[in-house]
Amino acid sequence: DDVVKCGKYRWARKTARFITMGRPGFTQDVVDGMASSGMDPDEGLFVLGPELPDISSTDARRALAASDMETLAQLLHPRVI
């Protein structure tokens, strides 16, 4: 995940706030990185949202390109399709 790889929690400040959603396999790494960099999760500079389901954006793009509505229905909210 690029948030962990790039340490984006270190970039957050009052003039550049971040909102990041948790991802399976990476959420705890973000929490740990925030803690080790001194980022206070209650300060509101770097907000970590809930962990989202493990959905592949690549799979969604492939299904869109193939007009595979059955797969899209499993991956995306109906309003997105």
Side-chain angles (χ1 to χ4, degrees):
D1 187 82
D2 70 321
V3 173
V4 174
K5 178 181 170 185
C6 299
K8 290 184 176 182
Y9 29 78
R10 293 189 301 262
W11 303 357
R13 51 195 36 74
K14 288 182 182 177
T15 58
R17 298 173 189 265
F18 281 72
I19 298 174
T20 298
M21 304 311 287
R23 293 183 54 204
F26 295 99
T27 304
Q28 189 59 51
D29 292 340
V30 174
V31 170
D32 294 345
M34 289 173 66
S36 69
S37 69
M39 180 57 60
D40 180 355
D42 296 322
E43 192 174 1
L45 300 180
F46 190 94
V47 177
L48 179 59
E51 186 165 289
L52 300 176
D54 192 13
I55 296 173
S56 166
S57 58
T58 300
D59 290 347
R61 285 191 296 274
R62 285 181 183 147
L64 282 166
S67 298
D68 182 349
M69 299 308 286
E70 184 176 329
T71 299
L72 287 170
Q74 295 172 18
L75 296 174
L76 304 175
H77 188 281
R79 289 185 183 176
V80 176
I81 301 170

